[in-house]
Amino acid sequence: MLQINTIKEKANEVIERLSIKNFKNVEQHIKEVLDIDKLRRETQQKADDLLAEGNKIAKEVGTLMAKGLKDEAEKIKAKTAELKQESKAFLDKLVEIEKQLEAKMILLPNLPHISVPKGFHADDNEIVHEEGEMPKLGKDAVPHWDLCVKYDIVDFELGNKITGAGFPVYKGKGARLQRALINYFLEKGIEAGYTEVQVPLMVNEDSGFGTGNLPDKDGQMYYIQEDDLYMIPTAEIPVTNLYRNLILQAKNLPIKNVAYSACFRREAGSYGKDVRGLNRLHQFDKVEIVNIAHPEKSYEILEEMKDYAASLVRSLGLPFRIVRLCGGDMSFASALTYDFEVWSAAQERWLEVSSVSNFESFQSNRMKCRFKNEEGKTQLVHTLNGSAMALPRIVAALLENNQTPEGIVIPKVLRKHTGFDMI
């Protein structure tokens, strides 16, 4: 959530930057926020003034009683009670005003970083890096969904039978490849200095709100009404919320965590070729990295995370590119996001496999995650996260790009985890 002082002090800049995210009616929304905040401050001031006046005249009671002026003292007492009652009425009004202000504030997305390009969709994203040779497949090459059937490694129909579309069943070497990728990504994360954590697959509303997923993505998350819990769409939510309502020490920053989890997404509105096979699932596996960082170091850490994600894709021998997302393609909470896309040779298209983002203080303000700086003052941390990696499209690209007449070749770095070099 944005800080109200930022909006008050830099209203024009806030409007300009939110326009890059294509936030509708931004000028009117900011005006309403400022008007409600002004009313909030005026109401607080009236309550404080009445209370101060009541406390001031209350001091006269003792003096009047000492002089034997009991009637006058009783009048002062009555006036004090009246002022306190008036002050309470303003404080009650203040509670409602603060609710109105929060309701407006939580609708505002994070401000995009100054480097974020303008645009409305993926075609407007900026390619910042590209590497790797495009594989040349034989004339008999097929997309991964056909390879899954041919080698009996992923069964989409069986998943549809027991749950529904978008819930595949991994079998034999397909299941072992999944496990190998999870172990490999966790192993590399630990080597890079991340502490592994295992977190719940369900979160409460406070956790979803803390990372900016609620109320923004309420319709995209699976909700368990009886228990008032949400299935996580990413481990980012529970891992980041480990630090909700904490005051950390500057000397302990950054805090680096890596976590594997299943992820659950309704993917409402998805259709067409983009959902075929492993391209878009309702349940999938992902390894996530999270950084809780000092504000002065967060963009340096973002670049480190970007380089780390690149090293993972590179080690798998997959052609990839890195794009800086435009304002219209960014998430609600992100200030700057890099997407990683791998080349899917049989589909002849780029597939997103990772997003690495800096949320600055947007999430930490919602979570009340702070630290004491070197001067002993409390301030908000910056939070960052990245997919390292999401498995389905990695698997799709590995299967398609490495298919040969003899079978599918497993990258060397995975073989000690899979126990086989060919499917």
Side-chain angles (χ1 to χ4, degrees):
M1 187 163 63
L2 298 180
Q3 298 179 65
I4 187 62
N5 286 340
T6 300
I7 297 175
K8 286 193 296 186
E9 296 167 7
K10 303 176 181 179
N12 290 335
E13 182 182 340
V14 169
I15 290 171
E16 180 181 351
R17 291 172 68 186
L18 286 181
S19 297
I20 293 175
K21 274 198 169 180
N22 305 310
F23 184 74
K24 294 181 180 179
N25 303 317
V26 60
E27 292 186 21
Q28 179 62 28
H29 198 105
I30 294 301
K31 180 181 183 302
E32 291 172 2
V33 166
L34 293 174
D35 287 345
I36 296 172
D37 181 63
K38 181 181 178 183
L39 179 60
R40 177 187 67 82
R41 287 181 283 112
E42 290 173 348
T43 304
Q44 179 73 68
Q45 189 62 55
K46 288 177 182 177
D48 291 346
D49 289 346
L50 288 167
L51 194 58
E53 183 182 353
N55 291 335
K56 180 180 178 181
I57 64 174
K59 295 178 181 178
E60 299 176 20
V61 173
T63 303
L64 292 171
M65 292 293 286
K67 293 180 179 180
L69 301 173
K70 184 177 180 181
D71 290 343
E72 293 297 323
E74 290 300 325
K75 289 180 182 179
I76 293 293
K77 284 183 180 181
K79 180 63 176 177
T80 300
E82 181 182 331
L83 290 171
K84 286 183 177 179
Q85 193 64 31
E86 289 182 32
S87 177
K88 182 180 182 303
F90 277 107
L91 289 174
D92 291 342
K93 183 181 178 182
L94 181 64
V95 172
E96 295 304 314
I97 294 171
E98 288 176 337
K99 288 180 180 178
Q100 293 175 29
L101 181 60
E102 182 180 19
K104 281 288 182 184
M105 291 287 289
I106 64 175
L107 297 177
L108 291 171
N110 199 3
L111 301 181
H113 187 261
I114 56 174
S115 67
V116 171
K118 295 180 180 179
F120 293 90
H121 41 66
D123 292 341
D124 300 316
N125 293 337
E126 176 187 351
I127 299 173
V128 297
H129 181 77
E130 190 169 341
E131 72 173 79
E133 289 187 25
M134 300 296 187
K136 297 178 181 178
L137 301 182
K139 62 180 181 179
D140 296 328
V142 295
H144 71 273
W145 49 83
D146 289 335
L147 293 169
C148 289
V149 174
K150 178 179 179 179
Y151 294 101
D152 195 24
I153 53 176
V154 183
D155 195 321
F156 298 102
E157 293 303 319
L158 192 55
N160 189 47
K161 169 187 170 182
I162 59 177
T163 306
F167 295 89
V169 173
Y170 297 85
K171 303 166 63 178
K173 288 186 175 180
R176 291 167 67 184
L177 177 59
Q178 285 280 110
R179 180 157 47 87
L181 284 164
I182 293 166
N183 288 338
Y184 176 64
F185 292 146
L186 285 173
E187 178 185 275
K188 299 304 288 185
I190 294 168
E191 288 177 5
Y194 289 85
T195 299
E196 183 181 358
V197 291
Q198 190 173 62
V199 290
L201 301 181
M202 292 180 282
V203 293
N204 55 32
E205 185 177 354
D206 286 344
S207 296
F209 177 81
T211 49
N213 296 81
L214 293 175
D216 181 58
K217 289 184 172 58
D218 192 6
Q220 291 292 350
M221 295 172 68
Y222 285 103
Y223 177 60
I224 304 168
Q225 186 172 2
E226 291 81 357
D227 302 296
D228 194 22
L229 295 172
Y230 294 83
M231 301 300 293
I232 63 170
T234 167
E236 168 203 343
I237 300 177
V239 175
T240 309
N241 273 277
L242 293 174
Y243 306 98
R244 175 156 47 95
N245 295 326
L246 292 183
I247 297 179
L248 308 169
Q249 297 298 319
K251 65 181 181 180
N252 295 328
L253 300 178
I255 298 173
K256 303 167 65 174
N257 288 133
V258 60
Y260 154 71
S261 78
C263 303
F264 305 88
R265 300 185 184 183
R266 293 187 62 237
E267 297 292 2
S270 299
Y271 61 92
K273 66 178 182 179
D274 289 346
V275 304
R276 191 160 186 190
L278 297 170
N279 286 343
R280 195 174 295 275
L281 302 175
H282 293 303
Q283 177 182 325
F284 61 94
D285 295 316
K286 180 157 65 80
V287 173
E288 191 83 1
I289 52 174
V290 170
N291 262 281
I292 309 297
H294 193 291
E296 294 176 4
K297 299 286 187 179
S298 68
Y299 277 97
E300 177 184 327
I301 289 172
L302 179 66
E303 292 302 309
E304 292 174 0
M305 293 172 69
K306 176 167 68 73
D307 291 343
Y308 171 70
S311 73
L312 295 180
V313 187
R314 187 180 298 119
S315 71
L316 295 174
L318 294 172
F320 71 95
R321 68 182 186 182
I322 306 173
V323 298
R324 182 187 286 114
L325 298 192
C326 69
D329 202 30
M330 291 174 66
S331 75
F332 178 81
S334 175
L336 177 61
T337 295
Y338 292 109
D339 266 7
F340 284 74
E341 300 173 343
V342 297
W343 180 249
S344 173
Q347 297 180 72
E348 297 184 333
R349 56 190 291 255
W350 293 99
L351 303 176
E352 180 203 333
V353 295
S354 173
S355 288
V356 180
S357 302
N358 188 348
F359 303 98
E360 296 185 357
S361 61
F362 190 83
Q363 292 180 332
S364 60
N365 190 31
R366 286 174 166 239
M367 296 191 304
K368 301 297 181 282
C369 178
R370 297 154 290 174
F371 75 102
K372 283 192 175 181
N373 62 22
E374 291 75 5
E375 291 77 37
K377 294 181 179 179
T378 302
Q379 66 182 102
L380 295 169
V381 299
H382 279 192
T383 62
L384 305 92
N385 82 274
S387 312
M389 293 277 169
L391 269 64
R393 295 171 190 164
I394 287 283
V395 171
L398 287 175
L399 297 179
E400 293 182 7
N401 295 6
N402 296 325
Q403 60 182 300
T404 71
E406 293 75 32
I408 301 168
V409 179
I410 298 298
K412 289 182 180 180
V413 294
L414 295 179
R415 292 175 187 173
K416 72 174 182 177
H417 297 290
T418 59
F420 54 87
D421 56 12
M422 292 280 288
I423 292 178

